[in-house]
Amino acid sequence: MNVVITGTSRGMGREIAIKFLNEGHIVAGLDLEEATIVHEHYTHYICDVRDINSLPYIEFEGSDKCTEILINNAGMQGQGYQDIETNLKGVMNCT
């Protein structure tokens, strides 16, 4: 399956991506930070989910080029206004 996961540079997003990769899926990861995963079926995009214009166009290779699973994992807590921008608007932008 073709999987897109936000917030893949650390924490749960990174672990979720590794789990999908270990199960043979193709994963595209989105994060503000550099990639921390090196795998032949992993592509990393540096972007900000809060900014819809920074989001990449992701097209997977093969016969089924669409995203089959989207995991909106990127999130913040305790940053005030940035919480809403990331946790709500970021999810809407990616979806």
Side-chain angles (χ1 to χ4, degrees):
M1 295 200 147
N2 298 326
V3 184
V4 175
I5 306 170
T6 65
T8 55
S9 289
R10 58 191 164 119
M12 289 301 300
R14 183 176 190 279
E15 296 306 314
I16 293 166
I18 290 169
K19 173 82 170 152
F20 275 100
L21 290 165
N22 287 339
E23 292 179 2
H25 302 288
I26 300 168
V27 177
L30 283 63
D31 204 292
L32 286 168
E33 300 175 9
E34 296 287 331
T36 59
I37 299 170
V38 176
H39 191 282
E40 66 179 314
H41 293 125
Y42 179 76
T43 304
H44 189 79
Y45 299 91
I46 296 176
C47 62
D48 187 345
V49 297
R50 298 171 295 184
D51 178 8
I52 197 164
N53 295 316
S54 81
L55 297 176
Y57 177 78
I58 300 171
E59 185 172 46
F60 293 95
E61 294 182 18
S63 60
D64 190 4
K65 296 181 179 185
C66 68
T67 299
E68 297 170 281
I69 298 173
L70 168 63
I71 299 174
N72 283 301
N73 170 74
M76 302 180 97
Q77 182 177 1
Q79 301 296 318
Y81 179 71
Q82 295 301 322
D83 290 2
I84 297 294
E85 291 294 308
T86 303
N87 303 344
L88 177 61
K89 291 184 180 178
V91 169
M92 294 182 337
N93 290 342
C94 291
T95 303

